[in-house]
Amino acid sequence: MSGARRWVRWAIPVAAIPVIVLLAYGFRTDPRAIPTPLVGKPAAAFSLKTFDGPEISLAGLRGRVVVVNFWASWCYPACYEEAPVLERGWRAYKDRGVMLVGINIQDKEEPARQFLARFNHTFPNAPDPTGRVSVDYGVYGVPETFFIDPAGRIRAKHVGAVTDEIFSANVDRLLAERP
């Protein structure tokens, strides 16, 4: 066996080791534990047409605590688990200056509308037909929820289904900080 062949014989298995290590790390890492660099940064501006017709923009909500939730009708069970939580949170906080915006991503209109009807969502929901808003927010799965302060900065991000406790803790903290 020549020196070159012997080298190739060992090079391939040795080259595979870093790939295997990276894959093992990736499969063992909880995506919820990955910190986002967006916390503390200005939230990306967006303007979307809601399922009900009117436009909604983040700029129009300046001065309010804003909760932005990314969801999809095919996201089962997490989006189905949090859907009643979001509606309860909206009803509990809407009169206190909090705005909840649902952004539907990677979905079709009819299933999305059926989802909204099933859970009787009364807060604004809009499709993100180009996916631009979800890219700007660094969304890599649904559901993901962002808590934005009245100055327009992302203050917290939650990956996975939001619970009543998570919703209230984040919103109460931001409301308490208002001047």
Side-chain angles (χ1 to χ4, degrees):
M1 182 178 287
S2 73
R5 283 186 156 191
R6 191 175 320 156
W7 183 85
V8 170
R9 182 176 173 199
W10 288 101
I12 293 173
V14 169
I17 291 172
V19 173
I20 292 169
V21 169
L22 283 173
L23 286 173
Y25 174 76
F27 288 126
R28 295 181 53 102
T29 302
D30 181 356
R32 295 176 200 177
I34 299 172
T36 176
L38 298 176
V39 172
K41 303 270 174 54
F46 64 83
S47 182
L48 295 169
K49 183 177 179 184
T50 65
F51 283 103
D52 294 334
E55 294 275 332
I56 189 162
S57 70
L58 185 61
L61 303 173
R62 184 61 58 105
R64 301 175 74 173
V65 171
V66 180
V67 180
V68 177
N69 173 259
F70 291 88
W71 63 276
S73 65
W74 48 261
C75 161
Y76 182 85
C79 293
Y80 287 74
E81 291 170 0
E82 75 171 7
V85 172
L86 294 171
E87 183 62 24
R88 277 194 303 272
W90 167 242
R91 291 177 188 239
Y93 288 97
K94 67 180 179 181
D95 294 332
R96 296 176 59 193
V98 175
M99 188 62 176
L100 174 57
V101 179
I103 299 179
N104 176 249
I105 65 171
Q106 300 174 353
D107 210 346
K108 294 184 177 171
E109 182 173 344
E110 189 54 35
R113 287 185 180 278
Q114 289 173 358
F115 181 92
L116 294 172
R118 175 179 178 166
F119 292 103
N120 194 28
H121 279 182
T122 59
F123 55 89
N125 272 277
D128 180 16
T130 64
R132 185 74 211 161
V133 179
S134 61
V135 168
D136 288 346
Y137 279 76
V139 173
Y140 56 87
V142 285
E144 289 189 20
T145 304
F146 294 81
F147 297 89
I148 302 169
D149 69 18
R153 289 179 312 226
I154 295 172
R155 299 293 301 280
K157 174 186 175 185
H158 180 78
V159 176
V162 169
T163 63
D164 290 307
E165 294 76 22
I166 291 168
F167 190 94
S168 295
N170 283 288
V171 170
D172 286 342
R173 180 172 50 89
L174 295 177
L175 286 172
E177 294 176 2
R178 285 193 311 190

